[in-house]
């Protein structure tokens, strides 16, 4: 078995003790045994090595602090504690008695200790109990090492990890009768045949990252949404969308994704086909071309969420490769026609309203105007709109124009010495390619 920093012992002797009746809820396993303040039954302990007798009762240790050390040979922190416990045993003498307890057999443990002593050039004096069941039942636990502190009267005073086994804590124990930290071993039963969600039975999850893709689900209204909750957890959700819709959502951090910024270089692009409308489009989605997708990340990962979505799409749809490239394309460029500043804001409160018949923008930026045109009113145009003004100040602009018609817009913006002019310019576009073609190259 591998050595790990915090050792986990799946103690089958104890499982039935705390699993029954506790499905889907984390259980503090240590709470099921003898508790702090309770008296330890005066049981007989067998198979003792490195001690004056082969058996002993709990009462034989009264008058001294008895520290039970539950350990295993495969547990690295457990083994590392052996020299420390031996040193503490010698330092405190008759005031303290360490007793190492393991479920492992004599054939496993004794040769292991002989090799350890030979390696360290030491003879360790702590008594060892092997193949022990009764103490494990009295003090159930999950993680090793596990320590139970029993006071001079035979009562449990503390249950701790290895961090509390040191000279200062033992001195404090004799002064105060307890230790500051107590160990909790929480256990949640898990059925590997069931899904993650089914195992947790609806319990609220604090996920760092979760991603889900399904086929089209009848009855769900198609939508695409990106949101951030009060805790900063960010979520992308696309319901009954096409693959093209998924790609477009994944690129929101790069640019406004319109059809005129997509270049198809594929032989079979059925999944990317969006020529249908209305009921015909929904029927097309339902025939294997529609998907529901959700991606949820914790606040620390929120800034990378779109990159995660793009990675997901490349994995989930290996037939295609979507990449962002800069290519020369015919566009409309918004330019200033004079050096006279007719758009600088007067500083009134922010306002931005848009509809098909015009817009009013107060104390905002030109990029908002361009974004609205690209995203809504000019989304069917073959020509993306880009900013060529270089104007970085906030603006006031009010237009009466058909925002779906470039000539109408140009007539309205003329009084601000602005012009949408057709040109060839390098812009970022989404290029969707066949992976088979890329591999062949």
């Amino acid at each position: 078995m591998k050595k790990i920093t915090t050792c986990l012992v799946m103690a089958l002797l104890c499982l039935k003790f705390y699993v029954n009746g506790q499905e889907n809820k984390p259980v503090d396993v240590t709470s099921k045994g003898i508790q702090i303040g309770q008296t330890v039954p005066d049981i007989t302990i067998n198979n003792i090595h490195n001690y004056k007798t082969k058996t002993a009762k709990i009462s034989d240790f009264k008058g001294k602090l008895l520290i039970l050390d539950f350990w295993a040979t495969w547990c690295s922190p457990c083994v590392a504690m052996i020299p420390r416990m031996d040193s503490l045993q010698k330092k405190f003498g008759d005031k303290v008695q360490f007793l190492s307890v393991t479920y492992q057999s004599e054939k496993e443990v004794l040769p292991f200790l002989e090799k350890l002593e030979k390696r360290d050039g030491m003879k360790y004096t702590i008594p060892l109990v092997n193949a022990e069941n009764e103490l494990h039942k009295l003090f159930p636990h999950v993680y090793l090492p596990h320590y139970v502190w029993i006071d001079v009267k035979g009562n449990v005073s503390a249950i701790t990890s290895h961090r509390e086994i040191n000279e200062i804590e033992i001195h404090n124990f004799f002064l105060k009768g307890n230790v500051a930290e107590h160990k909790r071993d929480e256990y949640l039963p898990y059925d590997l045949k069931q899904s993650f969600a089914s195992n947790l039975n609806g319990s609220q999850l604090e996920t760092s990252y979760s991603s889900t893709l399904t086929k089209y689900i009848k009855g769900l209204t198609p939508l695409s949404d990106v949101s951030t909750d009060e805790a900063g957890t960010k979520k992308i959700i696309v319901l009954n969308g096409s693959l093209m819709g998924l790609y477009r959502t994944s690129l929101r951090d790069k640019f406004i994704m319109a059809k005129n910024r997509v270049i198809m270089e594929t032989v079979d692009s059925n999944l990317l086909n969006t020529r249908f409308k209305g009921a015909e489009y929904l029927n097309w989605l339902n025939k294997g071309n529609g998907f529901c997708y959700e991606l949820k990340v914790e606040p620390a990962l929120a800034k990378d969420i779109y990159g995660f979505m793009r990675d997901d799409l490349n994995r989930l749809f290996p037939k295609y490769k979507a990449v962002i490239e800069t290519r020369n394309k015919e566009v409309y460029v918004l330019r200033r026609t004079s050096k006279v500043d007719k758009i600088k804001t007067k500083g009134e409160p922010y306002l931005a309203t848009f509809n098909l018949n015009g817009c009013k923008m107060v104390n905002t930026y030109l990029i908002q105007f361009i974004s609205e045109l690209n995203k809504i009113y000019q989304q069917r145009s073959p020509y993306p709109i880009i900013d060529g003004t270089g104007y970085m100040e906030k603006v006031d602009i009010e237009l009466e124009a058909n925002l779906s018609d470039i000539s109408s817009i140009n007539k309205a913006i003329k009084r601000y010495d602005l012009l949408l002019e057709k040109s060839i310019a390098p812009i970022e576009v989404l290029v969707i390619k066949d992976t088979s073609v890329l591999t062949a190259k």
Side-chain angles (χ1 to χ4, degrees):
M1 188 175 292
K2 291 183 179 180
K3 296 180 178 180
I4 51 179
T5 303
T6 301
C7 297
L8 170 65
V9 55
M10 302 306 294
L12 296 179
L13 293 169
C14 307
L15 282 178
K16 62 181 180 180
F17 195 89
Y18 55 80
V19 171
N20 293 340
Q22 299 293 339
E23 291 183 3
N24 303 315
K25 292 183 179 180
V27 178
D28 178 12
V29 178
T30 61
S31 70
K32 299 298 181 179
I34 304 297
Q35 298 299 290
I36 294 171
Q38 294 180 341
T39 300
V40 181
D42 193 21
I43 63 171
T44 298
I45 305 170
N46 299 303
N47 302 322
I48 305 179
H49 302 274
N50 205 24
Y51 190 63
K52 58 186 177 183
T53 58
K54 287 291 183 181
T55 65
K57 289 190 171 185
I58 292 293
S59 57
D60 293 340
F61 300 99
K62 281 190 176 181
K64 60 179 69 177
L65 168 61
L66 173 63
I67 300 180
L68 301 179
D69 160 40
F70 291 92
W71 75 295
T73 58
W74 47 262
C75 168
S76 297
C78 300
V79 176
M81 285 298 295
I82 293 175
R84 183 192 296 183
M85 289 188 297
D86 189 74
S87 176
L88 291 170
Q89 180 70 78
K90 292 173 181 175
K91 183 172 186 64
F92 286 95
D94 291 338
K95 295 175 67 177
V96 175
Q97 179 61 64
F98 283 94
L99 185 63
S100 288
V101 182
T102 180
Y103 66 89
Q104 292 175 285
S105 69
E106 180 178 320
K107 291 182 179 180
E108 291 178 278
V109 177
L110 295 186
F112 175 84
L113 289 176
E114 288 178 8
K115 290 180 181 179
L116 183 68
E117 289 178 337
K118 185 175 181 180
R119 186 199 72 181
D120 295 346
M122 294 284 291
K123 176 65 177 176
Y124 295 121
T125 60
I126 294 174
L128 164 71
V129 183
N130 72 272
E132 212 295 314
N133 293 339
E134 196 64 28
L135 287 173
H136 280 87
K137 291 179 181 179
L138 291 176
F139 303 105
H141 52 277
V142 178
Y143 301 101
L144 293 178
H146 184 76
Y147 293 90
V148 177
W149 302 47
I150 302 173
D151 67 16
V152 296
K153 296 180 181 179
N155 300 321
V156 176
S157 292
I159 297 174
T160 74
S161 69
H162 64 288
R163 288 184 291 273
E164 287 69 45
I165 304 301
N166 58 66
E167 186 175 344
I168 294 175
E169 287 289 356
I170 294 176
H171 273 303
N172 287 339
F173 177 85
F174 286 119
L175 290 174
K176 302 176 183 179
N178 57 35
V179 295
E181 296 294 328
H182 294 285
K183 185 170 179 274
R184 289 170 57 89
D185 283 5
E186 289 194 334
Y187 174 79
L188 182 65
Y190 195 94
D191 185 353
L192 292 174
K193 295 180 180 179
Q194 299 295 321
S195 70
F196 190 71
S198 297
N199 268 281
L200 297 176
N201 196 26
S203 299
Q204 186 174 0
L205 300 179
E206 294 183 8
T207 54
S208 295
Y209 182 105
S210 66
S211 175
T212 304
L213 178 77
T214 73
K215 291 289 188 179
Y216 180 88
I217 300 175
K218 287 184 178 181
L220 285 181
T221 302
L223 67 82
S224 175
D225 182 68
V226 180
S227 62
T228 304
D229 66 18
E230 294 179 355
T233 299
K234 196 163 188 175
K235 181 169 70 174
I236 294 174
I237 186 161
V238 178
L239 300 181
N240 286 345
S242 65
L243 180 53
M244 177 60 73
L246 291 174
Y247 282 133
R248 291 175 66 177
T249 300
S250 76
L251 288 161
R252 285 191 183 183
D253 62 330
K254 295 296 183 182
F255 46 78
I256 299 298
M257 251 300 296
K259 295 177 184 177
N260 54 31
R261 281 185 179 257
V262 178
I263 296 176
M264 303 291 297
E265 295 181 347
T266 61
V267 175
D268 173 18
S269 57
N270 182 54
L271 280 178
L272 305 168
N273 193 338
T274 56
R275 67 181 180 274
F276 302 116
K277 296 180 181 179
E280 192 179 16
Y281 176 65
L282 293 178
N283 186 51
W284 176 77
L285 289 174
N286 194 25
K287 289 182 177 179
N289 301 308
F291 305 93
C292 292
Y293 173 82
E294 181 184 78
L295 174 61
K296 186 177 179 181
V297 300
E298 65 179 5
L301 303 176
K303 62 180 174 51
D304 299 316
I305 192 168
Y306 292 105
F308 292 145
M309 184 176 181
R310 290 191 288 271
D311 290 341
D312 268 353
L313 295 179
N314 284 331
R315 283 191 296 268
L316 297 169
F317 300 95
K319 181 177 181 179
Y320 303 107
K321 179 72 172 179
V323 293
I324 298 172
E325 296 182 0
T326 299
R327 294 197 180 182
N328 288 325
K329 197 172 187 328
E330 198 168 15
V331 299
Y332 275 110
V333 182
L334 182 65
R335 302 188 189 279
R336 296 177 67 191
T337 59
S338 77
K339 294 183 179 180
V340 180
D341 192 344
K342 297 182 179 181
I343 55 178
K344 187 174 182 180
T345 184
K346 294 178 181 178
E348 297 295 326
Y350 166 82
L351 176 67
T353 60
F354 292 83
N355 58 60
L356 186 58
N357 298 314
C359 66
K360 185 174 182 179
M361 304 187 340
V362 178
N363 202 13
T364 186
Y365 294 96
L366 280 175
I367 191 62
Q368 186 167 7
F369 176 59
I370 293 170
S371 295
E372 291 292 327
L373 292 180
N374 277 318
K375 185 168 59 176
I376 301 175
Y377 305 103
Q378 292 290 318
Q379 61 174 306
R380 297 186 183 280
S381 167
Y383 311 111
I385 299 172
I386 64 174
D387 185 12
T389 65
Y391 194 86
M392 304 303 293
E393 304 295 326
K394 290 185 177 181
V395 302
D396 293 340
I397 293 177
E398 186 171 1
L399 305 177
E400 289 185 12
N402 180 353
L403 297 185
S404 67
D405 183 87
I406 292 294
S407 62
S408 180
I409 297 172
N410 271 333
K411 287 178 182 178
I413 64 176
K414 185 176 181 180
R415 67 190 182 99
Y416 293 106
D417 289 352
L418 294 172
L419 173 67
L420 283 169
E421 183 179 45
K422 193 175 286 187
S423 178
I424 301 292
I427 64 168
E428 285 190 326
V429 294
L430 174 67
V431 183
I432 300 177
K433 309 178 182 182
D434 288 324
T435 52
S436 58
V437 175
L438 292 172
T439 303
K441 290 180 179 180

